[in-house]
Amino acid sequence: MPWIKTVKPQEASPELLRAMEAQKELYPIEYAVPVHPSESGGASIVESHSLIPQALYHAFATFGALMSPELPLTRRQHEMITTVVSVTNRCVY
């Protein structure tokens, strides 16, 4: 649960919904279901950026682009790097 004000998808403006959907389209299909869903069923980390739709899109689109299967890193290498970074930062994501 975020400690800041967020906008749930059910209450989102059209601009926020477009930003949420557009960044989601950049991720591999296995990321469609959040590992730690919020009360509304979305990803808490995404909802924590919901007050500024353009920031939400650009922050998560960057990561989505880095997960592209067209890049030279394999999926296993992506997972290994993100796991090490998350553990180092004590982040559950």
Side-chain angles (χ1 to χ4, degrees):
M1 171 194 304
W3 293 82
I4 62 173
K5 180 180 178 183
T6 62
V7 179
K8 296 177 182 174
Q10 299 86 345
E11 302 165 351
S13 67
E15 179 187 16
L16 178 55
L17 285 175
R18 279 193 302 274
M20 288 176 156
E21 291 302 317
Q23 62 85 25
K24 208 184 295 184
E25 291 174 6
L26 297 171
Y27 285 77
I29 191 68
E30 56 268 30
Y31 284 82
V33 178
V35 175
H36 301 284
S38 67
E39 293 175 7
S40 67
S44 297
I45 188 69
V46 174
E47 289 181 14
S48 71
H49 291 69
S50 60
L51 295 180
I52 308 172
Q54 288 300 312
L56 180 151
Y57 173 75
H58 290 291
F60 292 100
T62 299
F63 189 71
L66 293 172
M67 297 295 289
S68 171
E70 297 173 9
L71 295 175
L73 293 178
T74 65
R75 179 62 197 272
R76 289 180 179 183
Q77 291 169 320
H78 287 156
E79 291 296 327
M80 181 179 64
I81 292 167
T82 55
T83 298
V84 169
V85 171
S86 292
V87 169
T88 301
N89 292 323
R90 298 182 181 174
C91 175
V92 297
Y93 295 103

